[in-house]
PDB file of all heavy atoms in Angstrom:
ATOM      1  N   THR A   1       0.847  -1.208  -0.007  1.00 94.00           N
ATOM      2  CA  THR A   1      -0.005   0.002   0.007  1.00 94.00           C
ATOM      3  C   THR A   1       0.867   1.263   0.014  1.00 94.00           C
ATOM      4  O   THR A   1       0.576   2.240  -0.723  1.00 94.00           O
ATOM      5  CB  THR A   1      -0.911   0.003   1.231  1.00 94.00           C
ATOM      6  OG1 THR A   1      -1.768  -1.181   1.179  1.00 94.00           O
ATOM      7  CG2 THR A   1      -1.792   1.253   1.229  1.00 94.00           C
ATOM      8  N   HIS A   2       1.936   1.271   0.801  1.00 95.00           N
ATOM      9  CA  HIS A   2       2.832   2.420   0.788  1.00 95.00           C
ATOM     10  C   HIS A   2       3.447   2.656  -0.581  1.00 95.00           C
ATOM     11  O   HIS A   2       3.468   3.816  -1.093  1.00 95.00           O
ATOM     12  CB  HIS A   2       3.990   2.197   1.797  1.00 95.00           C
ATOM     13  CG  HIS A   2       3.551   2.228   3.222  1.00 95.00           C
ATOM     14  ND1 HIS A   2       2.355   2.767   3.648  1.00 95.00           N
ATOM     15  CD2 HIS A   2       4.207   1.839   4.389  1.00 95.00           C
ATOM     16  CE1 HIS A   2       2.265   2.718   4.955  1.00 95.00           C
ATOM     17  NE2 HIS A   2       3.345   2.129   5.451  1.00 95.00           N
ATOM     18  N   LEU A   3       3.931   1.608  -1.204  1.00 95.00           N
ATOM     19  CA  LEU A   3       4.546   1.759  -2.520  1.00 95.00           C
ATOM     20  C   LEU A   3       3.514   2.159  -3.583  1.00 95.00           C
ATOM     21  O   LEU A   3       3.843   2.897  -4.496  1.00 95.00           O
ATOM     22  CB  LEU A   3       5.208   0.446  -2.926  1.00 95.00           C
ATOM     23  CG  LEU A   3       6.482   0.092  -2.158  1.00 95.00           C
ATOM     24  CD1 LEU A   3       6.903  -1.357  -2.319  1.00 95.00           C
ATOM     25  CD2 LEU A   3       7.669   1.002  -2.644  1.00 95.00           C
ATOM     26  N   HIS A   4       2.311   1.685  -3.409  1.00 94.00           N
ATOM     27  CA  HIS A   4       1.256   2.108  -4.336  1.00 94.00           C
ATOM     28  C   HIS A   4       0.947   3.572  -4.227  1.00 94.00           C
ATOM     29  O   HIS A   4       0.781   4.260  -5.247  1.00 94.00           O
ATOM     30  CB  HIS A   4      -0.027   1.258  -4.054  1.00 94.00           C
ATOM     31  CG  HIS A   4      -1.199   1.662  -4.918  1.00 94.00           C
ATOM     32  ND1 HIS A   4      -1.293   1.434  -6.264  1.00 94.00           N
ATOM     33  CD2 HIS A   4      -2.299   2.394  -4.577  1.00 94.00           C
ATOM     34  CE1 HIS A   4      -2.419   1.913  -6.718  1.00 94.00           C
ATOM     35  NE2 HIS A   4      -3.043   2.516  -5.734  1.00 94.00           N
ATOM     36  N   GLN A   5       0.891   4.094  -3.014  1.00 95.00           N
ATOM     37  CA  GLN A   5       0.639   5.510  -2.841  1.00 95.00           C
ATOM     38  C   GLN A   5       1.743   6.347  -3.463  1.00 95.00           C
ATOM     39  O   GLN A   5       1.494   7.384  -4.094  1.00 95.00           O
ATOM     40  CB  GLN A   5       0.518   5.842  -1.347  1.00 95.00           C
ATOM     41  CG  GLN A   5      -0.765   5.324  -0.714  1.00 95.00           C
ATOM     42  CD  GLN A   5      -0.930   5.812   0.702  1.00 95.00           C
ATOM     43  OE1 GLN A   5      -0.304   6.757   1.144  1.00 95.00           O
ATOM     44  NE2 GLN A   5      -1.807   5.122   1.466  1.00 95.00           N
ATOM     45  N   LEU A   6       2.997   5.936  -3.284  1.00 96.00           N
ATOM     46  CA  LEU A   6       4.111   6.613  -3.924  1.00 96.00           C
ATOM     47  C   LEU A   6       3.949   6.604  -5.454  1.00 96.00           C
ATOM     48  O   LEU A   6       4.124   7.620  -6.137  1.00 96.00           O
ATOM     49  CB  LEU A   6       5.421   5.987  -3.546  1.00 96.00           C
ATOM     50  CG  LEU A   6       6.674   6.552  -4.241  1.00 96.00           C
ATOM     51  CD1 LEU A   6       6.896   8.013  -3.862  1.00 96.00           C
ATOM     52  CD2 LEU A   6       7.895   5.698  -3.908  1.00 96.00           C
ATOM     53  N   HIS A   7       3.560   5.441  -5.985  1.00 96.00           N
ATOM     54  CA  HIS A   7       3.381   5.293  -7.450  1.00 96.00           C
ATOM     55  C   HIS A   7       2.260   6.238  -7.914  1.00 96.00           C
ATOM     56  O   HIS A   7       2.397   6.884  -8.957  1.00 96.00           O
ATOM     57  CB  HIS A   7       2.995   3.825  -7.744  1.00 96.00           C
ATOM     58  CG  HIS A   7       3.155   3.502  -9.206  1.00 96.00           C
ATOM     59  ND1 HIS A   7       3.081   2.213  -9.686  1.00 96.00           N
ATOM     60  CD2 HIS A   7       3.323   4.287 -10.300  1.00 96.00           C
ATOM     61  CE1 HIS A   7       3.222   2.219 -10.998  1.00 96.00           C
ATOM     62  NE2 HIS A   7       3.381   3.434 -11.397  1.00 96.00           N
ATOM     63  N   VAL A   8       1.171   6.329  -7.195  1.00 94.00           N
ATOM     64  CA  VAL A   8       0.069   7.207  -7.563  1.00 94.00           C
ATOM     65  C   VAL A   8       0.548   8.669  -7.642  1.00 94.00           C
ATOM     66  O   VAL A   8       0.266   9.403  -8.615  1.00 94.00           O
ATOM     67  CB  VAL A   8      -1.105   7.083  -6.559  1.00 94.00           C
ATOM     68  CG1 VAL A   8      -2.119   8.184  -6.765  1.00 94.00           C
ATOM     69  CG2 VAL A   8      -1.744   5.687  -6.693  1.00 94.00           C
ATOM     70  N   VAL A   9       1.257   9.146  -6.613  1.00 95.00           N
ATOM     71  CA  VAL A   9       1.714  10.537  -6.562  1.00 95.00           C
ATOM     72  C   VAL A   9       2.682  10.809  -7.743  1.00 95.00           C
ATOM     73  O   VAL A   9       2.553  11.825  -8.451  1.00 95.00           O
ATOM     74  CB  VAL A   9       2.348  10.853  -5.224  1.00 95.00           C
ATOM     75  CG1 VAL A   9       2.977  12.239  -5.228  1.00 95.00           C
ATOM     76  CG2 VAL A   9       1.334  10.728  -4.109  1.00 95.00           C
ATOM     77  N   LEU A  10       3.627   9.887  -7.963  1.00 96.00           N
ATOM     78  CA  LEU A  10       4.600  10.097  -9.020  1.00 96.00           C
ATOM     79  C   LEU A  10       3.934  10.054 -10.418  1.00 96.00           C
ATOM     80  O   LEU A  10       4.358  10.749 -11.333  1.00 96.00           O
ATOM     81  CB  LEU A  10       5.695   9.041  -8.957  1.00 96.00           C
ATOM     82  CG  LEU A  10       6.573   9.081  -7.684  1.00 96.00           C
ATOM     83  CD1 LEU A  10       7.700   8.049  -7.772  1.00 96.00           C
ATOM     84  CD2 LEU A  10       7.159  10.483  -7.457  1.00 96.00           C
ATOM     85  N   PHE A  11       2.894   9.217 -10.532  1.00 94.00           N
ATOM     86  CA  PHE A  11       2.156   9.153 -11.833  1.00 94.00           C
ATOM     87  C   PHE A  11       1.463  10.488 -12.099  1.00 94.00           C
ATOM     88  O   PHE A  11       1.531  11.006 -13.209  1.00 94.00           O
ATOM     89  CB  PHE A  11       1.135   8.028 -11.798  1.00 94.00           C
ATOM     90  CG  PHE A  11       0.218   8.003 -12.970  1.00 94.00           C
ATOM     91  CD1 PHE A  11       0.619   7.525 -14.191  1.00 94.00           C
ATOM     92  CD2 PHE A  11      -1.082   8.525 -12.858  1.00 94.00           C
ATOM     93  CE1 PHE A  11      -0.234   7.534 -15.275  1.00 94.00           C
ATOM     94  CE2 PHE A  11      -1.949   8.514 -13.917  1.00 94.00           C
ATOM     95  CZ  PHE A  11      -1.528   8.032 -15.139  1.00 94.00           C
ATOM     96  N   HIS A  12       0.793  11.036 -11.104  1.00 93.00           N
ATOM     97  CA  HIS A  12       0.067  12.249 -11.357  1.00 93.00           C
ATOM     98  C   HIS A  12       0.938  13.498 -11.449  1.00 93.00           C
ATOM     99  O   HIS A  12       0.458  14.522 -11.971  1.00 93.00           O
ATOM    100  CB  HIS A  12      -1.019  12.445 -10.275  1.00 93.00           C
ATOM    101  CG  HIS A  12      -2.205  11.507 -10.429  1.00 93.00           C
ATOM    102  ND1 HIS A  12      -3.125  11.668 -11.389  1.00 93.00           N
ATOM    103  CD2 HIS A  12      -2.531  10.375  -9.767  1.00 93.00           C
ATOM    104  CE1 HIS A  12      -4.045  10.726 -11.333  1.00 93.00           C
ATOM    105  NE2 HIS A  12      -3.693   9.895 -10.337  1.00 93.00           N
ATOM    106  N   ARG A  13       2.139  13.427 -11.013  1.00 91.00           N
ATOM    107  CA  ARG A  13       3.095  14.536 -11.242  1.00 91.00           C
ATOM    108  C   ARG A  13       3.805  14.344 -12.550  1.00 91.00           C
ATOM    109  O   ARG A  13       4.622  15.201 -12.955  1.00 91.00           O
ATOM    110  CB  ARG A  13       4.087  14.693 -10.120  1.00 91.00           C
ATOM    111  CG  ARG A  13       5.010  13.537  -9.955  1.00 91.00           C
ATOM    112  CD  ARG A  13       6.334  13.884  -9.223  1.00 91.00           C
ATOM    113  NE  ARG A  13       6.176  14.608  -7.955  1.00 91.00           N
ATOM    114  CZ  ARG A  13       7.175  14.831  -7.128  1.00 91.00           C
ATOM    115  NH1 ARG A  13       8.420  14.382  -7.467  1.00 91.00           N
ATOM    116  NH2 ARG A  13       7.039  15.447  -6.002  1.00 91.00           N
ATOM    117  N   GLY A  14       3.528  13.203 -13.265  1.00 91.00           N
ATOM    118  CA  GLY A  14       4.130  12.936 -14.545  1.00 91.00           C
ATOM    119  C   GLY A  14       5.521  12.337 -14.520  1.00 91.00           C
ATOM    120  O   GLY A  14       6.217  12.287 -15.541  1.00 91.00           O
ATOM    121  N   GLN A  15       5.925  11.807 -13.359  1.00 94.00           N
ATOM    122  CA  GLN A  15       7.307  11.295 -13.214  1.00 94.00           C
ATOM    123  C   GLN A  15       7.389   9.848 -13.659  1.00 94.00           C
ATOM    124  O   GLN A  15       8.475   9.398 -14.070  1.00 94.00           O
ATOM    125  CB  GLN A  15       7.661  11.405 -11.715  1.00 94.00           C
ATOM    126  CG  GLN A  15       9.133  11.146 -11.452  1.00 94.00           C
ATOM    127  CD  GLN A  15       9.535  11.581 -10.052  1.00 94.00           C
ATOM    128  OE1 GLN A  15       9.063  12.593  -9.555  1.00 94.00           O
ATOM    129  NE2 GLN A  15      10.411  10.821  -9.398  1.00 94.00           N
ATOM    130  N   VAL A  16       6.294   9.104 -13.578  1.00 93.00           N
ATOM    131  CA  VAL A  16       6.297   7.723 -14.077  1.00 93.00           C
ATOM    132  C   VAL A  16       5.186   7.582 -15.112  1.00 93.00           C
ATOM    133  O   VAL A  16       4.137   8.222 -14.996  1.00 93.00           O
ATOM    134  CB  VAL A  16       6.110   6.700 -12.942  1.00 93.00           C
ATOM    135  CG1 VAL A  16       7.237   6.750 -11.952  1.00 93.00           C
ATOM    136  CG2 VAL A  16       4.755   6.882 -12.227  1.00 93.00           C
ATOM    137  N   PRO A  17       5.366   6.773 -16.144  1.00 91.00           N
ATOM    138  CA  PRO A  17       4.395   6.752 -17.265  1.00 91.00           C
ATOM    139  C   PRO A  17       3.193   5.841 -17.061  1.00 91.00           C
ATOM    140  O   PRO A  17       2.146   6.091 -17.638  1.00 91.00           O
ATOM    141  CB  PRO A  17       5.256   6.259 -18.440  1.00 91.00           C
ATOM    142  CG  PRO A  17       6.256   5.379 -17.824  1.00 91.00           C
ATOM    143  CD  PRO A  17       6.568   5.971 -16.449  1.00 91.00           C
ATOM    144  N   THR A  18       3.328   4.809 -16.267  1.00 89.00           N
ATOM    145  CA  THR A  18       2.311   3.778 -16.197  1.00 89.00           C
ATOM    146  C   THR A  18       1.313   4.069 -15.089  1.00 89.00           C
ATOM    147  O   THR A  18       1.693   4.418 -13.967  1.00 89.00           O
ATOM    148  CB  THR A  18       2.930   2.395 -15.924  1.00 89.00           C
ATOM    149  OG1 THR A  18       3.927   2.159 -16.944  1.00 89.00           O
ATOM    150  CG2 THR A  18       1.893   1.293 -15.998  1.00 89.00           C
ATOM    151  N   ARG A  19       0.035   3.930 -15.415  1.00 87.00           N
ATOM    152  CA  ARG A  19      -1.028   4.113 -14.426  1.00 87.00           C
ATOM    153  C   ARG A  19      -0.897   3.070 -13.341  1.00 87.00           C
ATOM    154  O   ARG A  19      -0.795   1.918 -13.593  1.00 87.00           O
ATOM    155  CB  ARG A  19      -2.384   3.966 -15.153  1.00 87.00           C
ATOM    156  CG  ARG A  19      -3.591   4.036 -14.242  1.00 87.00           C
ATOM    157  CD  ARG A  19      -4.835   3.871 -15.069  1.00 87.00           C
ATOM    158  NE  ARG A  19      -6.043   3.715 -14.238  1.00 87.00           N
ATOM    159  CZ  ARG A  19      -7.228   3.491 -14.735  1.00 87.00           C
ATOM    160  NH1 ARG A  19      -7.405   3.480 -16.111  1.00 87.00           N
ATOM    161  NH2 ARG A  19      -8.313   3.387 -13.959  1.00 87.00           N
ATOM    162  N   PRO A  20      -0.890   3.518 -12.076  1.00 87.00           N
ATOM    163  CA  PRO A  20      -0.655   2.570 -10.991  1.00 87.00           C
ATOM    164  C   PRO A  20      -1.843   1.642 -10.729  1.00 87.00           C
ATOM    165  O   PRO A  20      -3.000   2.073 -10.797  1.00 87.00           O
ATOM    166  CB  PRO A  20      -0.442   3.481  -9.736  1.00 87.00           C
ATOM    167  CG  PRO A  20      -1.160   4.747 -10.101  1.00 87.00           C
ATOM    168  CD  PRO A  20      -1.052   4.890 -11.568  1.00 87.00           C
ATOM    169  N   ARG A  21      -1.534   0.401 -10.504  1.00 80.00           N
ATOM    170  CA  ARG A  21      -2.571  -0.605 -10.141  1.00 80.00           C
ATOM    171  C   ARG A  21      -2.066  -1.351  -8.943  1.00 80.00           C
ATOM    172  O   ARG A  21      -0.970  -1.933  -8.972  1.00 80.00           O
ATOM    173  CB  ARG A  21      -2.833  -1.541 -11.310  1.00 80.00           C
ATOM    174  CG  ARG A  21      -3.384  -0.864 -12.538  1.00 80.00           C
ATOM    175  CD  ARG A  21      -3.725  -1.839 -13.640  1.00 80.00           C
ATOM    176  NE  ARG A  21      -4.193  -1.197 -14.823  1.00 80.00           N
ATOM    177  CZ  ARG A  21      -5.446  -0.796 -15.043  1.00 80.00           C
ATOM    178  NH1 ARG A  21      -6.332  -1.004 -14.106  1.00 80.00           N
ATOM    179  NH2 ARG A  21      -5.779  -0.225 -16.178  1.00 80.00           N
ATOM    180  N   LYS A  22      -2.844  -1.349  -7.924  1.00 70.00           N
ATOM    181  CA  LYS A  22      -2.431  -1.966  -6.673  1.00 70.00           C
ATOM    182  C   LYS A  22      -2.395  -3.468  -6.844  1.00 70.00           C
ATOM    183  O   LYS A  22      -3.426  -4.087  -7.125  1.00 70.00           O
ATOM    184  CB  LYS A  22      -3.363  -1.567  -5.544  1.00 70.00           C
ATOM    185  CG  LYS A  22      -2.861  -1.913  -4.163  1.00 70.00           C
ATOM    186  CD  LYS A  22      -3.786  -1.338  -3.102  1.00 70.00           C
ATOM    187  CE  LYS A  22      -3.278  -1.594  -1.724  1.00 70.00           C
ATOM    188  NZ  LYS A  22      -4.156  -1.014  -0.676  1.00 70.00           N
ATOM    189  N   LYS A  23      -1.246  -4.080  -6.656  1.00 63.00           N
ATOM    190  CA  LYS A  23      -1.100  -5.516  -6.829  1.00 63.00           C
ATOM    191  C   LYS A  23      -0.868  -6.181  -5.465  1.00 63.00           C
ATOM    192  O   LYS A  23       0.238  -6.202  -4.969  1.00 63.00           O
ATOM    193  CB  LYS A  23       0.084  -5.839  -7.751  1.00 63.00           C
ATOM    194  CG  LYS A  23      -0.114  -5.316  -9.189  1.00 63.00           C
ATOM    195  CD  LYS A  23       1.079  -5.626 -10.032  1.00 63.00           C
ATOM    196  CE  LYS A  23       0.920  -5.094 -11.443  1.00 63.00           C
ATOM    197  NZ  LYS A  23       2.109  -5.383 -12.305  1.00 63.00           N
ATOM    198  N   MET A  24      -1.947  -6.613  -4.917  1.00 55.00           N
ATOM    199  CA  MET A  24      -1.850  -7.293  -3.629  1.00 55.00           C
ATOM    200  C   MET A  24      -1.442  -8.757  -3.901  1.00 55.00           C
ATOM    201  O   MET A  24      -1.524  -9.249  -5.027  1.00 55.00           O
ATOM    202  CB  MET A  24      -3.208  -7.271  -2.907  1.00 55.00           C
ATOM    203  CG  MET A  24      -3.633  -5.882  -2.546  1.00 55.00           C
ATOM    204  SD  MET A  24      -2.424  -4.912  -1.652  1.00 55.00           S
ATOM    205  CE  MET A  24      -2.341  -5.829  -0.104  1.00 55.00           C
ATOM    206  N   PRO A  25      -0.975  -9.479  -2.873  1.00 54.00           N
ATOM    207  CA  PRO A  25      -0.577 -10.846  -3.055  1.00 54.00           C
ATOM    208  C   PRO A  25      -1.686 -11.691  -3.691  1.00 54.00           C
ATOM    209  O   PRO A  25      -2.857 -11.637  -3.258  1.00 54.00           O
ATOM    210  CB  PRO A  25      -0.286 -11.318  -1.631  1.00 54.00           C
ATOM    211  CG  PRO A  25       0.043 -10.077  -0.899  1.00 54.00           C
ATOM    212  CD  PRO A  25      -0.769  -8.976  -1.480  1.00 54.00           C
ATOM    213  N   ASP A  26      -1.342 -12.443  -4.741  1.00 59.00           N
ATOM    214  CA  ASP A  26      -2.292 -13.309  -5.415  1.00 59.00           C
ATOM    215  C   ASP A  26      -2.466 -14.594  -4.627  1.00 59.00           C
ATOM    216  O   ASP A  26      -1.561 -15.408  -4.537  1.00 59.00           O
ATOM    217  CB  ASP A  26      -1.802 -13.616  -6.835  1.00 59.00           C
ATOM    218  CG  ASP A  26      -2.870 -14.266  -7.690  1.00 59.00           C
ATOM    219  OD1 ASP A  26      -3.974 -14.533  -7.131  1.00 59.00           O
ATOM    220  OD2 ASP A  26      -2.611 -14.524  -8.873  1.00 59.00           O
ATOM    221  N   ARG A  27      -3.687 -14.797  -4.074  1.00 63.00           N
ATOM    222  CA  ARG A  27      -3.876 -15.947  -3.198  1.00 63.00           C
ATOM    223  C   ARG A  27      -4.551 -17.101  -3.920  1.00 63.00           C
ATOM    224  O   ARG A  27      -4.810 -18.123  -3.306  1.00 63.00           O
ATOM    225  CB  ARG A  27      -4.699 -15.517  -1.993  1.00 63.00           C
ATOM    226  CG  ARG A  27      -4.050 -14.462  -1.146  1.00 63.00           C
ATOM    227  CD  ARG A  27      -4.846 -14.071   0.065  1.00 63.00           C
ATOM    228  NE  ARG A  27      -4.185 -13.015   0.844  1.00 63.00           N
ATOM    229  CZ  ARG A  27      -4.660 -12.546   1.967  1.00 63.00           C
ATOM    230  NH1 ARG A  27      -5.815 -12.982   2.487  1.00 63.00           N
ATOM    231  NH2 ARG A  27      -4.034 -11.580   2.636  1.00 63.00           N
ATOM    232  N   LYS A  28      -4.909 -16.942  -5.166  1.00 71.00           N
ATOM    233  CA  LYS A  28      -5.564 -18.048  -5.871  1.00 71.00           C
ATOM    234  C   LYS A  28      -4.544 -19.139  -6.175  1.00 71.00           C
ATOM    235  O   LYS A  28      -3.370 -18.811  -6.491  1.00 71.00           O
ATOM    236  CB  LYS A  28      -6.220 -17.554  -7.129  1.00 71.00           C
ATOM    237  CG  LYS A  28      -5.251 -17.103  -8.220  1.00 71.00           C
ATOM    238  CD  LYS A  28      -6.011 -16.664  -9.464  1.00 71.00           C
ATOM    239  CE  LYS A  28      -5.012 -16.237 -10.568  1.00 71.00           C
ATOM    240  NZ  LYS A  28      -5.736 -15.750 -11.758  1.00 71.00           N
ATOM    241  N   PRO A  29      -4.922 -20.390  -6.081  1.00 77.00           N
ATOM    242  CA  PRO A  29      -3.968 -21.498  -6.364  1.00 77.00           C
ATOM    243  C   PRO A  29      -3.545 -21.458  -7.854  1.00 77.00           C
ATOM    244  O   PRO A  29      -4.331 -21.035  -8.684  1.00 77.00           O
ATOM    245  CB  PRO A  29      -4.762 -22.757  -5.999  1.00 77.00           C
ATOM    246  CG  PRO A  29      -6.206 -22.341  -6.100  1.00 77.00           C
ATOM    247  CD  PRO A  29      -6.231 -20.893  -5.715  1.00 77.00           C
ATOM    248  N   PRO A  30      -2.361 -21.895  -8.135  1.00 80.00           N
ATOM    249  CA  PRO A  30      -1.907 -21.883  -9.520  1.00 80.00           C
ATOM    250  C   PRO A  30      -2.655 -22.908 -10.338  1.00 80.00           C
ATOM    251  O   PRO A  30      -3.174 -23.885  -9.845  1.00 80.00           O
ATOM    252  CB  PRO A  30      -0.399 -22.200  -9.396  1.00 80.00           C
ATOM    253  CG  PRO A  30      -0.314 -22.980  -8.118  1.00 80.00           C
ATOM    254  CD  PRO A  30      -1.352 -22.415  -7.185  1.00 80.00           C
ATOM    255  N   LEU A  31      -2.645 -22.684 -11.667  1.00 85.00           N
ATOM    256  CA  LEU A  31      -3.220 -23.659 -12.576  1.00 85.00           C
ATOM    257  C   LEU A  31      -2.250 -24.810 -12.683  1.00 85.00           C
ATOM    258  O   LEU A  31      -1.167 -24.663 -13.238  1.00 85.00           O
ATOM    259  CB  LEU A  31      -3.441 -23.009 -13.944  1.00 85.00           C
ATOM    260  CG  LEU A  31      -4.111 -23.862 -15.037  1.00 85.00           C
ATOM    261  CD1 LEU A  31      -5.540 -24.243 -14.581  1.00 85.00           C
ATOM    262  CD2 LEU A  31      -4.172 -23.126 -16.325  1.00 85.00           C
ATOM    263  N   ALA A  32      -2.595 -25.986 -12.132  1.00 85.00           N
ATOM    264  CA  ALA A  32      -1.717 -27.140 -12.062  1.00 85.00           C
ATOM    265  C   ALA A  32      -2.320 -28.289 -12.851  1.00 85.00           C
ATOM    266  O   ALA A  32      -3.251 -28.949 -12.375  1.00 85.00           O
ATOM    267  CB  ALA A  32      -1.438 -27.520 -10.625  1.00 85.00           C
ATOM    268  N   LEU A  33      -1.812 -28.518 -14.072  1.00 91.00           N
ATOM    269  CA  LEU A  33      -2.270 -29.664 -14.899  1.00 91.00           C
ATOM    270  C   LEU A  33      -1.044 -30.435 -15.347  1.00 91.00           C
ATOM    271  O   LEU A  33       0.092 -29.978 -15.212  1.00 91.00           O
ATOM    272  CB  LEU A  33      -3.015 -29.116 -16.129  1.00 91.00           C
ATOM    273  CG  LEU A  33      -4.327 -28.343 -15.894  1.00 91.00           C
ATOM    274  CD1 LEU A  33      -4.746 -27.640 -17.172  1.00 91.00           C
ATOM    275  CD2 LEU A  33      -5.397 -29.329 -15.472  1.00 91.00           C
ATOM    276  N   PRO A  34      -1.237 -31.655 -15.837  1.00 92.00           N
ATOM    277  CA  PRO A  34      -0.106 -32.337 -16.462  1.00 92.00           C
ATOM    278  C   PRO A  34       0.536 -31.494 -17.553  1.00 92.00           C
ATOM    279  O   PRO A  34      -0.207 -30.694 -18.183  1.00 92.00           O
ATOM    280  CB  PRO A  34      -0.755 -33.613 -17.033  1.00 92.00           C
ATOM    281  CG  PRO A  34      -1.946 -33.854 -16.174  1.00 92.00           C
ATOM    282  CD  PRO A  34      -2.448 -32.481 -15.774  1.00 92.00           C
ATOM    283  N   PRO A  35       1.829 -31.587 -17.758  1.00 93.00           N
ATOM    284  CA  PRO A  35       2.536 -30.638 -18.646  1.00 93.00           C
ATOM    285  C   PRO A  35       1.870 -30.421 -19.997  1.00 93.00           C
ATOM    286  O   PRO A  35       1.750 -29.290 -20.445  1.00 93.00           O
ATOM    287  CB  PRO A  35       3.944 -31.269 -18.749  1.00 93.00           C
ATOM    288  CG  PRO A  35       4.092 -32.018 -17.489  1.00 93.00           C
ATOM    289  CD  PRO A  35       2.763 -32.556 -17.133  1.00 93.00           C
ATOM    290  N   ARG A  36       1.444 -31.486 -20.651  1.00 94.00           N
ATOM    291  CA  ARG A  36       0.869 -31.332 -21.988  1.00 94.00           C
ATOM    292  C   ARG A  36      -0.480 -30.607 -21.919  1.00 94.00           C
ATOM    293  O   ARG A  36      -0.756 -29.747 -22.768  1.00 94.00           O
ATOM    294  CB  ARG A  36       0.719 -32.711 -22.665  1.00 94.00           C
ATOM    295  CG  ARG A  36       2.027 -33.352 -23.024  1.00 94.00           C
ATOM    296  CD  ARG A  36       1.874 -34.845 -23.361  1.00 94.00           C
ATOM    297  NE  ARG A  36       0.970 -35.058 -24.494  1.00 94.00           N
ATOM    298  CZ  ARG A  36       0.591 -36.259 -24.908  1.00 94.00           C
ATOM    299  NH1 ARG A  36       1.075 -37.352 -24.324  1.00 94.00           N
ATOM    300  NH2 ARG A  36      -0.235 -36.368 -25.950  1.00 94.00           N
ATOM    301  N   MET A  37      -1.276 -30.932 -20.913  1.00 95.00           N
ATOM    302  CA  MET A  37      -2.558 -30.222 -20.772  1.00 95.00           C
ATOM    303  C   MET A  37      -2.341 -28.780 -20.334  1.00 95.00           C
ATOM    304  O   MET A  37      -3.075 -27.878 -20.731  1.00 95.00           O
ATOM    305  CB  MET A  37      -3.411 -30.982 -19.740  1.00 95.00           C
ATOM    306  CG  MET A  37      -3.742 -32.409 -20.144  1.00 95.00           C
ATOM    307  SD  MET A  37      -4.703 -33.273 -18.901  1.00 95.00           S
ATOM    308  CE  MET A  37      -6.287 -32.472 -19.073  1.00 95.00           C
ATOM    309  N   GLN A  38      -1.344 -28.555 -19.491  1.00 94.00           N
ATOM    310  CA  GLN A  38      -1.017 -27.191 -19.034  1.00 94.00           C
ATOM    311  C   GLN A  38      -0.628 -26.320 -20.214  1.00 94.00           C
ATOM    312  O   GLN A  38      -1.036 -25.178 -20.281  1.00 94.00           O
ATOM    313  CB  GLN A  38       0.134 -27.288 -18.035  1.00 94.00           C
ATOM    314  CG  GLN A  38       0.541 -25.910 -17.457  1.00 94.00           C
ATOM    315  CD  GLN A  38      -0.176 -25.568 -16.182  1.00 94.00           C
ATOM    316  OE1 GLN A  38      -1.081 -26.277 -15.811  1.00 94.00           O
ATOM    317  NE2 GLN A  38       0.206 -24.502 -15.535  1.00 94.00           N
ATOM    318  N   ALA A  39       0.169 -26.825 -21.137  1.00 95.00           N
ATOM    319  CA  ALA A  39       0.613 -26.050 -22.243  1.00 95.00           C
ATOM    320  C   ALA A  39      -0.568 -25.614 -23.162  1.00 95.00           C
ATOM    321  O   ALA A  39      -0.652 -24.430 -23.559  1.00 95.00           O
ATOM    322  CB  ALA A  39       1.595 -26.835 -23.126  1.00 95.00           C
ATOM    323  N   VAL A  40      -1.497 -26.499 -23.389  1.00 96.00           N
ATOM    324  CA  VAL A  40      -2.694 -26.149 -24.155  1.00 96.00           C
ATOM    325  C   VAL A  40      -3.531 -25.129 -23.432  1.00 96.00           C
ATOM    326  O   VAL A  40      -3.984 -24.123 -24.044  1.00 96.00           O
ATOM    327  CB  VAL A  40      -3.518 -27.432 -24.477  1.00 96.00           C
ATOM    328  CG1 VAL A  40      -4.856 -27.046 -25.097  1.00 96.00           C
ATOM    329  CG2 VAL A  40      -2.721 -28.373 -25.364  1.00 96.00           C
ATOM    330  N   ALA A  41      -3.772 -25.349 -22.135  1.00 95.00           N
ATOM    331  CA  ALA A  41      -4.599 -24.435 -21.402  1.00 95.00           C
ATOM    332  C   ALA A  41      -3.995 -23.034 -21.317  1.00 95.00           C
ATOM    333  O   ALA A  41      -4.708 -22.026 -21.513  1.00 95.00           O
ATOM    334  CB  ALA A  41      -4.864 -25.001 -20.008  1.00 95.00           C
ATOM    335  N   GLN A  42      -2.692 -22.933 -21.089  1.00 95.00           N
ATOM    336  CA  GLN A  42      -2.064 -21.632 -20.999  1.00 95.00           C
ATOM    337  C   GLN A  42      -2.091 -20.893 -22.338  1.00 95.00           C
ATOM    338  O   GLN A  42      -2.309 -19.680 -22.390  1.00 95.00           O
ATOM    339  CB  GLN A  42      -0.622 -21.773 -20.527  1.00 95.00           C
ATOM    340  CG  GLN A  42      -0.442 -22.308 -19.124  1.00 95.00           C
ATOM    341  CD  GLN A  42      -0.800 -21.263 -18.064  1.00 95.00           C
ATOM    342  OE1 GLN A  42      -1.435 -20.284 -18.357  1.00 95.00           O
ATOM    343  NE2 GLN A  42      -0.394 -21.494 -16.858  1.00 95.00           N
TER     344      GLN A  42
END
């Protein structure tokens, strides 16, 4: 959250180009399939 606030301020002053999006830890389990099925699904 602290880093996101810094990103927001720097974005609106024009110091960084990318619009900030808060990326909290991703808690969803990974997509886990057998390798051949995983490749098709991805």
